[in-house]
């Protein structure tokens, strides 16, 4: 390769890097566009937090109800109702659930879309959490339940003081994975006019006529959230394992 050809290649690489740098500058800095990402990030975190709280509550409630009423006469309808909820939620796409809940239930003009999305994703996550918690409860030896009852504890006390603390340690990795999936699923919230992180990236892409840089920036934000949550879960797991050793 001659010196001129080498300089030509180097200049082409420098021009390409300059073009890439300018594209990301336009997608993040120009006209303070980073504020759109921060607004979308705030909405994404708010929806995710609300959904995780609702999903965890529903999941534990449904799992405990199914376990507690499994062999009790007259309570078979409770177990059937819980199974119906899990079957419907797991058998339909979350996007359809979001659109149905938004258009069928929350029809008022002043409806808070973020609240609707949080409730919808929470209901969706609750079905998956219920199955995870059920597996955790069933992994505990039945002798633990009988030991709790023999100590004078009632059914609820045995469940929440003996069974659930042991079950949570077993299901923590699966539970963390469910919450990570839930955070990423909130990206479809833009379908009900919420400016979440994905919607903010799409909007900026429409302004710059270059969609890829804002999408990559949004992906980095999602990656940081997931890595932070993963780190937090690992820390929690280590603390629980340390408690067992002590």
């Amino acid at each position: 390769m001659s010196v001129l050809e080498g300089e030509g290649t180097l200049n082409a690489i420098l021009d390409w890097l300059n073009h890439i740098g300018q594209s990301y500058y336009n997608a993040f800095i120009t006209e303070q566009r980073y504020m759109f990402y921060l607004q979308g990030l705030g909405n994404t975190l708010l929806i995710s937090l609300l959904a995780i709280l609702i999903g965890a509550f529903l999941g534990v409630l449904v799992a405990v109800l199914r376990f507690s009423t499994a062999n009790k006469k007259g309570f078979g309808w409770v177990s059937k109702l819980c199974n119906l909820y899990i079957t419907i939620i797991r058998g339909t796409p979350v996007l359809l659930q979001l659109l149905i809940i938004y258009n069928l239930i929350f029809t008022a003009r002043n409806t808070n879309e973020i609240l609707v999305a949080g409730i919808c994703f929470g209901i969706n996550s609750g079905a998956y959490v219920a199955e995870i918690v059920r597996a955790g409860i069933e992994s505990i030896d039945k002798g633990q339940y009988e030991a709790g009852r023999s100590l004078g504890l009632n059914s609820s006390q045995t469940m929440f003081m003996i069974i659930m603390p042991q079950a949570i340690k077993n299901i923590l990795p699966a539970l963390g994975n469910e919450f990570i999936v839930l955070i990423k699923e909130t990206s479809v919230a833009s379908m009900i006019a919420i400016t979440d992180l994905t919607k903010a990236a799409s909007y900026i892409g429409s302004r710059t006529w270059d969609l890829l840089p804002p999408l990559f920036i949004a992906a980095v934000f999602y990656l940081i959230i997931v890595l932070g949550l993963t780190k937090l879960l690992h820390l929690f797991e280590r603390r629980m394992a340390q408690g067992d050793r002590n």
Side-chain angles (χ1 to χ4, degrees):
M1 180 182 293
S2 66
V3 175
L4 289 177
E5 287 177 337
E7 289 181 351
T9 303
L10 180 61
N11 289 333
I13 293 174
L14 290 176
D15 288 342
W16 179 76
L17 289 176
N18 184 54
H19 172 72
I20 295 294
Q22 187 62 45
S23 297
Y24 280 88
Y25 183 85
N26 290 336
F28 196 73
I29 303 297
T30 303
E31 298 178 355
Q32 295 185 329
R33 286 172 179 151
Y34 56 86
M35 294 300 296
F36 286 103
Y37 295 104
L38 295 180
Q39 181 189 356
L41 177 64
N43 290 337
T44 294
L45 291 176
L46 197 57
I47 294 169
S48 301
L49 179 62
L50 186 60
I52 287 174
L53 292 176
I54 294 174
F57 173 76
L58 277 179
V60 172
L61 179 66
V62 170
V64 170
L65 283 176
R66 289 177 71 191
F67 181 81
S68 302
T69 59
N71 299 316
K72 287 187 178 179
K73 289 184 179 179
F75 288 92
W77 63 272
V78 176
S79 183
K80 289 180 181 176
L81 190 63
C82 292
N83 289 335
L84 181 65
Y85 159 68
I86 292 172
T87 301
I88 291 175
I89 295 299
R90 295 176 69 191
T92 54
V94 66
L95 178 57
L96 286 181
Q97 294 166 17
L98 178 66
L99 293 175
I100 289 171
I101 289 175
Y102 180 69
N103 290 288
L104 185 64
I105 300 175
F106 296 92
T107 54
R109 287 187 175 181
N110 57 351
T111 296
N112 186 320
E113 287 84 1
I114 292 177
L115 180 64
V116 175
I119 292 173
C120 173
F121 289 115
I123 292 173
N124 177 271
S125 180
Y128 295 93
V129 173
E131 285 296 270
I132 294 171
V133 174
R134 179 187 62 80
I137 292 174
E138 290 180 352
S139 70
I140 306 301
D141 189 274
K142 290 183 179 178
Q144 297 284 321
Y145 186 82
E146 294 168 358
R149 296 306 302 270
S150 66
L151 289 173
L153 302 176
N154 61 33
S155 179
S156 299
Q157 289 172 326
T158 303
M159 175 60 69
F160 289 102
M161 294 176 67
I162 295 179
I163 304 298
M164 286 303 294
Q166 298 179 74
I168 287 174
K169 284 189 289 188
N170 294 341
I171 65 175
L172 199 55
L175 208 56
N177 188 55
E178 163 57 25
F179 291 150
I180 287 171
V181 172
L182 172 64
I183 291 172
K184 291 185 289 185
E185 281 185 343
T186 60
S187 61
V188 301
S190 60
M191 294 299 293
I192 57 172
I194 294 176
T195 307
D196 71 323
L197 196 48
T198 305
K199 180 71 173 180
S202 299
Y203 172 75
I204 293 171
S206 68
R207 294 289 302 271
T208 60
W209 299 90
D210 191 0
L211 192 55
L212 276 180
L215 289 181
F216 276 119
I217 292 171
V220 170
F221 275 109
Y222 278 111
L223 187 60
I224 292 172
I225 296 171
V226 170
L227 289 177
L229 182 59
T230 303
K231 185 76 176 176
L232 189 64
L233 286 168
H234 286 168
L235 182 65
F236 192 49
E237 286 179 35
R238 283 202 299 270
R239 291 294 298 271
M240 294 190 76
Q242 190 177 17
D244 285 345
R245 286 193 293 271
N246 293 332

